[in-house]
PDB file of all heavy atoms in Angstrom:
ATOM      1  N   ILE P  29      87.433  56.564  89.241  1.00  0.00           N
ATOM      2  CA  ILE P  29      87.888  57.809  88.622  1.00  0.00           C
ATOM      3  C   ILE P  29      89.413  57.927  88.640  1.00  0.00           C
ATOM      4  O   ILE P  29      90.050  58.133  87.606  1.00  0.00           O
ATOM      5  CB  ILE P  29      87.259  59.043  89.305  1.00  0.00           C
ATOM      6  CG1 ILE P  29      85.733  58.877  89.409  1.00  0.00           C
ATOM      7  CG2 ILE P  29      87.620  60.304  88.537  1.00  0.00           C
ATOM      8  CD1 ILE P  29      85.060  58.568  88.088  1.00  0.00           C
ATOM      9  N   GLY P  30      90.000  57.793  89.807  1.00  0.00           N
ATOM     10  CA  GLY P  30      91.454  57.896  89.908  1.00  0.00           C
ATOM     11  C   GLY P  30      92.203  56.696  89.386  1.00  0.00           C
ATOM     12  O   GLY P  30      93.397  56.780  89.083  1.00  0.00           O
ATOM     13  N   SER P  31      91.513  55.571  89.257  1.00  0.00           N
ATOM     14  CA  SER P  31      92.176  54.343  88.792  1.00  0.00           C
ATOM     15  C   SER P  31      92.048  54.131  87.289  1.00  0.00           C
ATOM     16  O   SER P  31      92.961  53.614  86.646  1.00  0.00           O
ATOM     17  CB  SER P  31      91.609  53.124  89.532  1.00  0.00           C
ATOM     18  OG  SER P  31      90.197  53.034  89.358  1.00  0.00           O
ATOM     19  N   VAL P  32      90.897  54.529  86.706  1.00  0.00           N
ATOM     20  CA  VAL P  32      90.639  54.239  85.297  1.00  0.00           C
ATOM     21  C   VAL P  32      90.344  55.490  84.469  1.00  0.00           C
ATOM     22  O   VAL P  32      90.972  55.737  83.439  1.00  0.00           O
ATOM     23  CB  VAL P  32      89.459  53.246  85.151  1.00  0.00           C
ATOM     24  CG1 VAL P  32      89.113  53.025  83.679  1.00  0.00           C
ATOM     25  CG2 VAL P  32      89.789  51.921  85.819  1.00  0.00           C
ATOM     26  N   VAL P  33      89.387  56.286  84.906  1.00  0.00           N
ATOM     27  CA  VAL P  33      88.933  57.417  84.082  1.00  0.00           C
ATOM     28  C   VAL P  33      90.004  58.502  83.992  1.00  0.00           C
ATOM     29  O   VAL P  33      90.369  58.951  82.894  1.00  0.00           O
ATOM     30  CB  VAL P  33      87.621  58.007  84.627  1.00  0.00           C
ATOM     31  CG1 VAL P  33      87.133  59.145  83.716  1.00  0.00           C
ATOM     32  CG2 VAL P  33      86.549  56.930  84.723  1.00  0.00           C
ATOM     33  N   PHE P  34      90.534  58.924  85.148  1.00  0.00           N
ATOM     34  CA  PHE P  34      91.584  59.940  85.167  1.00  0.00           C
ATOM     35  C   PHE P  34      92.751  59.482  86.055  1.00  0.00           C
ATOM     36  O   PHE P  34      92.986  60.043  87.135  1.00  0.00           O
ATOM     37  CB  PHE P  34      91.039  61.281  85.686  1.00  0.00           C
ATOM     38  CG  PHE P  34      90.009  61.909  84.802  1.00  0.00           C
ATOM     39  CD1 PHE P  34      88.691  62.013  85.210  1.00  0.00           C
ATOM     40  CD2 PHE P  34      90.355  62.384  83.545  1.00  0.00           C
ATOM     41  CE1 PHE P  34      87.732  62.584  84.386  1.00  0.00           C
ATOM     42  CE2 PHE P  34      89.403  62.955  82.709  1.00  0.00           C
ATOM     43  CZ  PHE P  34      88.086  63.053  83.124  1.00  0.00           C
ATOM     44  N   PRO P  35      93.503  58.488  85.596  1.00  0.00           N
ATOM     45  CA  PRO P  35      94.626  57.998  86.407  1.00  0.00           C
ATOM     46  C   PRO P  35      95.716  59.053  86.586  1.00  0.00           C
ATOM     47  O   PRO P  35      96.527  58.953  87.511  1.00  0.00           O
ATOM     48  CB  PRO P  35      95.139  56.794  85.609  1.00  0.00           C
ATOM     49  CG  PRO P  35      94.686  57.038  84.208  1.00  0.00           C
ATOM     50  CD  PRO P  35      93.361  57.731  84.340  1.00  0.00           C
ATOM     51  N   ASN P  36      95.741  60.078  85.721  1.00  0.00           N
ATOM     52  CA  ASN P  36      96.729  61.150  85.826  1.00  0.00           C
ATOM     53  C   ASN P  36      96.106  62.447  86.336  1.00  0.00           C
ATOM     54  O   ASN P  36      96.603  63.547  86.048  1.00  0.00           O
ATOM     55  CB  ASN P  36      97.382  61.401  84.459  1.00  0.00           C
ATOM     56  CG  ASN P  36      98.164  60.197  83.972  1.00  0.00           C
ATOM     57  OD1 ASN P  36      98.898  59.575  84.737  1.00  0.00           O
ATOM     58  ND2 ASN P  36      98.004  59.848  82.705  1.00  0.00           N
ATOM     59  N   ALA P  37      95.024  62.319  87.090  1.00  0.00           N
ATOM     60  CA  ALA P  37      94.374  63.501  87.675  1.00  0.00           C
ATOM     61  C   ALA P  37      95.379  64.283  88.515  1.00  0.00           C
ATOM     62  O   ALA P  37      96.328  63.714  89.075  1.00  0.00           O
ATOM     63  CB  ALA P  37      93.189  63.068  88.534  1.00  0.00           C
ATOM     64  N   ASP P  38      95.181  65.586  88.616  1.00  0.00           N
ATOM     65  CA  ASP P  38      96.090  66.417  89.407  1.00  0.00           C
ATOM     66  C   ASP P  38      96.091  65.999  90.876  1.00  0.00           C
ATOM     67  O   ASP P  38      97.131  66.021  91.535  1.00  0.00           O
ATOM     68  CB  ASP P  38      95.690  67.883  89.275  1.00  0.00           C
ATOM     69  CG  ASP P  38      95.832  68.383  87.853  1.00  0.00           C
ATOM     70  OD1 ASP P  38      96.975  68.539  87.386  1.00  0.00           O
ATOM     71  OD2 ASP P  38      94.795  68.605  87.204  1.00  0.00           O
ATOM     72  N   LEU P  39      94.908  65.650  91.373  1.00  0.00           N
ATOM     73  CA  LEU P  39      94.790  65.177  92.755  1.00  0.00           C
ATOM     74  C   LEU P  39      93.791  64.023  92.795  1.00  0.00           C
ATOM     75  O   LEU P  39      92.776  64.051  92.104  1.00  0.00           O
ATOM     76  CB  LEU P  39      94.308  66.297  93.674  1.00  0.00           C
ATOM     77  CG  LEU P  39      95.278  67.454  93.935  1.00  0.00           C
ATOM     78  CD1 LEU P  39      94.557  68.600  94.653  1.00  0.00           C
ATOM     79  CD2 LEU P  39      96.476  66.986  94.748  1.00  0.00           C
ATOM     80  N   LYS P  40      94.091  63.032  93.616  1.00  0.00           N
ATOM     81  CA  LYS P  40      93.206  61.877  93.756  1.00  0.00           C
ATOM     82  C   LYS P  40      92.961  61.607  95.238  1.00  0.00           C
ATOM     83  O   LYS P  40      93.892  61.609  96.049  1.00  0.00           O
ATOM     84  CB  LYS P  40      93.836  60.638  93.098  1.00  0.00           C
ATOM     85  CG  LYS P  40      94.019  60.790  91.595  1.00  0.00           C
ATOM     86  CD  LYS P  40      94.405  59.472  90.932  1.00  0.00           C
ATOM     87  CE  LYS P  40      95.851  59.108  91.152  1.00  0.00           C
ATOM     88  NZ  LYS P  40      96.247  57.921  90.348  1.00  0.00           N
ATOM     89  N   PHE P  41      91.695  61.356  95.573  1.00  0.00           N
ATOM     90  CA  PHE P  41      91.323  61.075  96.957  1.00  0.00           C
ATOM     91  C   PHE P  41      90.418  59.853  96.999  1.00  0.00           C
ATOM     92  O   PHE P  41      89.610  59.631  96.091  1.00  0.00           O
ATOM     93  CB  PHE P  41      90.597  62.271  97.581  1.00  0.00           C
ATOM     94  CG  PHE P  41      91.437  63.512  97.640  1.00  0.00           C
ATOM     95  CD1 PHE P  41      91.409  64.430  96.603  1.00  0.00           C
ATOM     96  CD2 PHE P  41      92.267  63.748  98.719  1.00  0.00           C
ATOM     97  CE1 PHE P  41      92.197  65.567  96.632  1.00  0.00           C
ATOM     98  CE2 PHE P  41      93.063  64.889  98.768  1.00  0.00           C
ATOM     99  CZ  PHE P  41      93.027  65.798  97.725  1.00  0.00           C
ATOM    100  N   PHE P  42      90.568  59.086  98.066  1.00  0.00           N
ATOM    101  CA  PHE P  42      89.712  57.915  98.285  1.00  0.00           C
ATOM    102  C   PHE P  42      89.040  58.088  99.638  1.00  0.00           C
ATOM    103  O   PHE P  42      89.697  58.082 100.681  1.00  0.00           O
ATOM    104  CB  PHE P  42      90.523  56.617  98.254  1.00  0.00           C
ATOM    105  CG  PHE P  42      89.683  55.383  98.369  1.00  0.00           C
ATOM    106  CD1 PHE P  42      88.982  54.898  97.272  1.00  0.00           C
ATOM    107  CD2 PHE P  42      89.579  54.704  99.577  1.00  0.00           C
ATOM    108  CE1 PHE P  42      88.197  53.755  97.360  1.00  0.00           C
ATOM    109  CE2 PHE P  42      88.794  53.562  99.682  1.00  0.00           C
ATOM    110  CZ  PHE P  42      88.103  53.085  98.574  1.00  0.00           C
ATOM    111  N   LEU P  43      87.721  58.278  99.616  1.00  0.00           N
ATOM    112  CA  LEU P  43      86.969  58.476 100.851  1.00  0.00           C
ATOM    113  C   LEU P  43      86.402  57.153 101.341  1.00  0.00           C
ATOM    114  O   LEU P  43      85.914  56.345 100.551  1.00  0.00           O
ATOM    115  CB  LEU P  43      85.826  59.473 100.623  1.00  0.00           C
ATOM    116  CG  LEU P  43      86.186  60.821  99.990  1.00  0.00           C
ATOM    117  CD1 LEU P  43      84.972  61.752 100.021  1.00  0.00           C
ATOM    118  CD2 LEU P  43      87.379  61.470 100.668  1.00  0.00           C
ATOM    119  N   HIS P  44      86.468  56.944 102.644  1.00  0.00           N
ATOM    120  CA  HIS P  44      85.931  55.711 103.213  1.00  0.00           C
ATOM    121  C   HIS P  44      85.417  55.975 104.622  1.00  0.00           C
ATOM    122  O   HIS P  44      85.770  56.982 105.250  1.00  0.00           O
ATOM    123  CB  HIS P  44      86.996  54.607 103.239  1.00  0.00           C
ATOM    124  CG  HIS P  44      88.202  54.955 104.088  1.00  0.00           C
ATOM    125  ND1 HIS P  44      88.321  54.589 105.409  1.00  0.00           N
ATOM    126  CD2 HIS P  44      89.329  55.647 103.785  1.00  0.00           C
ATOM    127  CE1 HIS P  44      89.476  55.029 105.889  1.00  0.00           C
ATOM    128  NE2 HIS P  44      90.102  55.684 104.928  1.00  0.00           N
ATOM    129  N   ALA P  45      84.563  55.100 105.086  1.00  0.00           N
ATOM    130  CA  ALA P  45      84.022  55.198 106.441  1.00  0.00           C
ATOM    131  C   ALA P  45      83.473  53.832 106.822  1.00  0.00           C
ATOM    132  O   ALA P  45      83.200  52.984 105.961  1.00  0.00           O
ATOM    133  CB  ALA P  45      82.935  56.270 106.512  1.00  0.00           C
ATOM    134  N   ASP P  46      83.281  53.644 108.101  1.00  0.00           N
ATOM    135  CA  ASP P  46      82.718  52.402 108.608  1.00  0.00           C
ATOM    136  C   ASP P  46      81.340  52.153 107.990  1.00  0.00           C
ATOM    137  O   ASP P  46      80.584  53.096 107.735  1.00  0.00           O
ATOM    138  CB  ASP P  46      82.606  52.497 110.134  1.00  0.00           C
ATOM    139  CG  ASP P  46      81.991  51.268 110.767  1.00  0.00           C
ATOM    140  OD1 ASP P  46      82.690  50.257 110.910  1.00  0.00           O
ATOM    141  OD2 ASP P  46      80.775  51.325 111.083  1.00  0.00           O
ATOM    142  N   LEU P  47      81.037  50.880 107.740  1.00  0.00           N
ATOM    143  CA  LEU P  47      79.774  50.505 107.112  1.00  0.00           C
ATOM    144  C   LEU P  47      78.572  51.072 107.861  1.00  0.00           C
ATOM    145  O   LEU P  47      77.626  51.580 107.246  1.00  0.00           O
ATOM    146  CB  LEU P  47      79.666  48.980 107.022  1.00  0.00           C
ATOM    147  CG  LEU P  47      78.349  48.419 106.472  1.00  0.00           C
ATOM    148  CD1 LEU P  47      78.131  48.876 105.030  1.00  0.00           C
ATOM    149  CD2 LEU P  47      78.345  46.892 106.557  1.00  0.00           C
ATOM    150  N   HIS P  48      78.591  51.015 109.191  1.00  0.00           N
ATOM    151  CA  HIS P  48      77.472  51.505 109.997  1.00  0.00           C
ATOM    152  C   HIS P  48      77.261  52.997 109.774  1.00  0.00           C
ATOM    153  O   HIS P  48      76.123  53.472 109.648  1.00  0.00           O
ATOM    154  CB  HIS P  48      77.732  51.226 111.486  1.00  0.00           C
ATOM    155  CG  HIS P  48      76.702  51.809 112.405  1.00  0.00           C
ATOM    156  ND1 HIS P  48      75.426  51.307 112.508  1.00  0.00           N
ATOM    157  CD2 HIS P  48      76.761  52.894 113.238  1.00  0.00           C
ATOM    158  CE1 HIS P  48      74.741  52.034 113.376  1.00  0.00           C
ATOM    159  NE2 HIS P  48      75.526  52.995 113.828  1.00  0.00           N
ATOM    160  N   ILE P  49      78.347  53.740 109.706  1.00  0.00           N
ATOM    161  CA  ILE P  49      78.248  55.188 109.492  1.00  0.00           C
ATOM    162  C   ILE P  49      77.688  55.481 108.113  1.00  0.00           C
ATOM    163  O   ILE P  49      76.806  56.348 107.947  1.00  0.00           O
ATOM    164  CB  ILE P  49      79.644  55.839 109.645  1.00  0.00           C
ATOM    165  CG1 ILE P  49      80.105  55.747 111.106  1.00  0.00           C
ATOM    166  CG2 ILE P  49      79.616  57.300 109.173  1.00  0.00           C
ATOM    167  CD1 ILE P  49      81.517  56.232 111.331  1.00  0.00           C
ATOM    168  N   ARG P  50      78.158  54.760 107.113  1.00  0.00           N
ATOM    169  CA  ARG P  50      77.685  54.988 105.747  1.00  0.00           C
ATOM    170  C   ARG P  50      76.203  54.632 105.600  1.00  0.00           C
ATOM    171  O   ARG P  50      75.443  55.332 104.934  1.00  0.00           O
ATOM    172  CB  ARG P  50      78.537  54.183 104.756  1.00  0.00           C
ATOM    173  CG  ARG P  50      79.967  54.699 104.673  1.00  0.00           C
ATOM    174  CD  ARG P  50      80.744  54.055 103.534  1.00  0.00           C
ATOM    175  NE  ARG P  50      81.040  52.662 103.781  1.00  0.00           N
ATOM    176  CZ  ARG P  50      80.705  51.670 102.969  1.00  0.00           C
ATOM    177  NH1 ARG P  50      80.009  51.902 101.861  1.00  0.00           N
ATOM    178  NH2 ARG P  50      81.049  50.422 103.265  1.00  0.00           N
ATOM    179  N   GLN P  51      75.790  53.551 106.254  1.00  0.00           N
ATOM    180  CA  GLN P  51      74.386  53.154 106.201  1.00  0.00           C
ATOM    181  C   GLN P  51      73.497  54.205 106.868  1.00  0.00           C
ATOM    182  O   GLN P  51      72.425  54.545 106.353  1.00  0.00           O
ATOM    183  CB  GLN P  51      74.205  51.802 106.900  1.00  0.00           C
ATOM    184  CG  GLN P  51      72.822  51.193 106.722  1.00  0.00           C
ATOM    185  CD  GLN P  51      72.594  50.685 105.314  1.00  0.00           C
ATOM    186  OE1 GLN P  51      73.273  49.776 104.864  1.00  0.00           O
ATOM    187  NE2 GLN P  51      71.631  51.268 104.605  1.00  0.00           N
ATOM    188  N   LYS P  52      73.966  54.760 107.966  1.00  0.00           N
ATOM    189  CA  LYS P  52      73.214  55.789 108.677  1.00  0.00           C
ATOM    190  C   LYS P  52      73.064  57.028 107.809  1.00  0.00           C
ATOM    191  O   LYS P  52      71.986  57.646 107.768  1.00  0.00           O
ATOM    192  CB  LYS P  52      73.929  56.135 109.992  1.00  0.00           C
ATOM    193  CG  LYS P  52      73.164  57.112 110.870  1.00  0.00           C
ATOM    194  CD  LYS P  52      73.893  57.333 112.197  1.00  0.00           C
ATOM    195  CE  LYS P  52      73.124  58.319 113.070  1.00  0.00           C
ATOM    196  NZ  LYS P  52      73.817  58.520 114.376  1.00  0.00           N
ATOM    197  N   ARG P  53      74.114  57.391 107.096  1.00  0.00           N
ATOM    198  CA  ARG P  53      74.048  58.556 106.201  1.00  0.00           C
ATOM    199  C   ARG P  53      73.008  58.348 105.114  1.00  0.00           C
ATOM    200  O   ARG P  53      72.273  59.259 104.747  1.00  0.00           O
ATOM    201  CB  ARG P  53      75.419  58.797 105.559  1.00  0.00           C
ATOM    202  CG  ARG P  53      76.480  59.344 106.498  1.00  0.00           C
ATOM    203  CD  ARG P  53      77.829  59.362 105.815  1.00  0.00           C
ATOM    204  NE  ARG P  53      78.881  59.913 106.649  1.00  0.00           N
ATOM    205  CZ  ARG P  53      80.178  59.828 106.362  1.00  0.00           C
ATOM    206  NH1 ARG P  53      80.558  59.204 105.257  1.00  0.00           N
ATOM    207  NH2 ARG P  53      81.068  60.350 107.171  1.00  0.00           N
ATOM    208  N   ARG P  54      72.946  57.149 104.577  1.00  0.00           N
ATOM    209  CA  ARG P  54      71.985  56.861 103.511  1.00  0.00           C
ATOM    210  C   ARG P  54      70.553  57.011 104.015  1.00  0.00           C
ATOM    211  O   ARG P  54      69.686  57.528 103.314  1.00  0.00           O
ATOM    212  CB  ARG P  54      72.213  55.445 102.973  1.00  0.00           C
ATOM    213  CG  ARG P  54      73.585  55.203 102.385  1.00  0.00           C
ATOM    214  CD  ARG P  54      73.785  55.922 101.077  1.00  0.00           C
ATOM    215  NE  ARG P  54      73.160  55.198  99.983  1.00  0.00           N
ATOM    216  CZ  ARG P  54      73.235  55.561  98.718  1.00  0.00           C
ATOM    217  NH1 ARG P  54      73.874  56.658  98.382  1.00  0.00           N
ATOM    218  NH2 ARG P  54      72.655  54.854  97.769  1.00  0.00           N
ATOM    219  N   ILE P  55      70.333  56.556 105.222  1.00  0.00           N
ATOM    220  CA  ILE P  55      68.987  56.656 105.802  1.00  0.00           C
ATOM    221  C   ILE P  55      68.617  58.123 106.010  1.00  0.00           C
ATOM    222  O   ILE P  55      67.488  58.538 105.722  1.00  0.00           O
ATOM    223  CB  ILE P  55      68.918  55.871 107.127  1.00  0.00           C
ATOM    224  CG1 ILE P  55      69.073  54.365 106.850  1.00  0.00           C
ATOM    225  CG2 ILE P  55      67.603  56.151 107.841  1.00  0.00           C
ATOM    226  CD1 ILE P  55      69.179  53.517 108.104  1.00  0.00           C
ATOM    227  N   VAL P  56      69.570  58.917 106.493  1.00  0.00           N
ATOM    228  CA  VAL P  56      69.330  60.347 106.685  1.00  0.00           C
ATOM    229  C   VAL P  56      68.995  61.010 105.352  1.00  0.00           C
ATOM    230  O   VAL P  56      68.150  61.907 105.270  1.00  0.00           O
ATOM    231  CB  VAL P  56      70.570  61.024 107.323  1.00  0.00           C
ATOM    232  CG1 VAL P  56      70.427  62.548 107.287  1.00  0.00           C
ATOM    233  CG2 VAL P  56      70.751  60.548 108.756  1.00  0.00           C
ATOM    234  N   ASP P  57      69.642  60.537 104.276  1.00  0.00           N
ATOM    235  CA  ASP P  57      69.383  61.075 102.932  1.00  0.00           C
ATOM    236  C   ASP P  57      68.082  60.545 102.331  1.00  0.00           C
ATOM    237  O   ASP P  57      67.717  60.902 101.208  1.00  0.00           O
ATOM    238  CB  ASP P  57      70.538  60.723 101.988  1.00  0.00           C
ATOM    239  CG  ASP P  57      71.807  61.499 102.316  1.00  0.00           C
ATOM    240  OD1 ASP P  57      71.693  62.543 102.978  1.00  0.00           O
ATOM    241  OD2 ASP P  57      72.898  61.062 101.909  1.00  0.00           O
ATOM    242  N   GLY P  58      67.408  59.667 103.073  1.00  0.00           N
ATOM    243  CA  GLY P  58      66.142  59.134 102.590  1.00  0.00           C
ATOM    244  C   GLY P  58      66.287  57.948 101.654  1.00  0.00           C
ATOM    245  O   GLY P  58      65.339  57.588 100.941  1.00  0.00           O
ATOM    246  N   GLU P  59      67.463  57.316 101.639  1.00  0.00           N
ATOM    247  CA  GLU P  59      67.687  56.165 100.769  1.00  0.00           C
ATOM    248  C   GLU P  59      67.909  54.913 101.604  1.00  0.00           C
ATOM    249  O   GLU P  59      68.622  54.929 102.611  1.00  0.00           O
ATOM    250  CB  GLU P  59      68.904  56.403  99.866  1.00  0.00           C
ATOM    251  CG  GLU P  59      68.713  57.543  98.886  1.00  0.00           C
ATOM    252  CD  GLU P  59      69.780  57.562  97.815  1.00  0.00           C
ATOM    253  OE1 GLU P  59      70.033  56.500  97.206  1.00  0.00           O
ATOM    254  OE2 GLU P  59      70.358  58.626  97.580  1.00  0.00           O
ATOM    255  N   ARG P  60      67.291  53.847 101.160  1.00  0.00           N
ATOM    256  CA  ARG P  60      67.458  52.568 101.834  1.00  0.00           C
ATOM    257  C   ARG P  60      67.908  51.530 100.815  1.00  0.00           C
ATOM    258  O   ARG P  60      67.172  51.176  99.908  1.00  0.00           O
ATOM    259  CB  ARG P  60      66.140  52.125 102.492  1.00  0.00           C
ATOM    260  CG  ARG P  60      65.681  53.056 103.602  1.00  0.00           C
ATOM    261  CD  ARG P  60      64.416  52.569 104.279  1.00  0.00           C
ATOM    262  NE  ARG P  60      64.000  53.485 105.338  1.00  0.00           N
ATOM    263  CZ  ARG P  60      64.455  53.434 106.590  1.00  0.00           C
ATOM    264  NH1 ARG P  60      65.319  52.508 106.930  1.00  0.00           N
ATOM    265  NH2 ARG P  60      64.026  54.290 107.484  1.00  0.00           N
ATOM    266  N   ASP P  61      69.142  51.108 100.950  1.00  0.00           N
ATOM    267  CA  ASP P  61      69.658  50.074 100.063  1.00  0.00           C
ATOM    268  C   ASP P  61      70.703  49.259 100.806  1.00  0.00           C
ATOM    269  O   ASP P  61      71.186  49.656 101.865  1.00  0.00           O
ATOM    270  CB  ASP P  61      70.240  50.667  98.774  1.00  0.00           C
ATOM    271  CG  ASP P  61      71.302  51.728  99.041  1.00  0.00           C
ATOM    272  OD1 ASP P  61      71.428  52.164 100.188  1.00  0.00           O
ATOM    273  OD2 ASP P  61      71.994  52.115  98.097  1.00  0.00           O
TER     274      ASP P  61
END
């Protein structure tokens, strides 16, 4: 989004987290991938 779709967006944020944390969140959301 911030790199291609709206490179001139008023505000741009990049969210990140450790792989283990992200995987745990997916499981809590009921998704396994």
Side-chain angles (χ1 to χ4, degrees):
I29 310 306
S31 57
V32 176
V33 183
F34 295 112
N36 296 316
D38 296 289
L39 291 170
K40 296 190 283 188
F41 298 91
F42 184 78
L43 308 188
H44 61 94
D46 178 78
L47 176 62
H48 174 72
I49 292 174
R50 292 189 290 124
Q51 189 72 63
K52 185 176 180 179
R53 288 172 178 168
R54 300 289 280 184
I55 293 173
V56 170
D57 289 340
E59 295 193 49
R60 296 183 180 274
D61 55 348

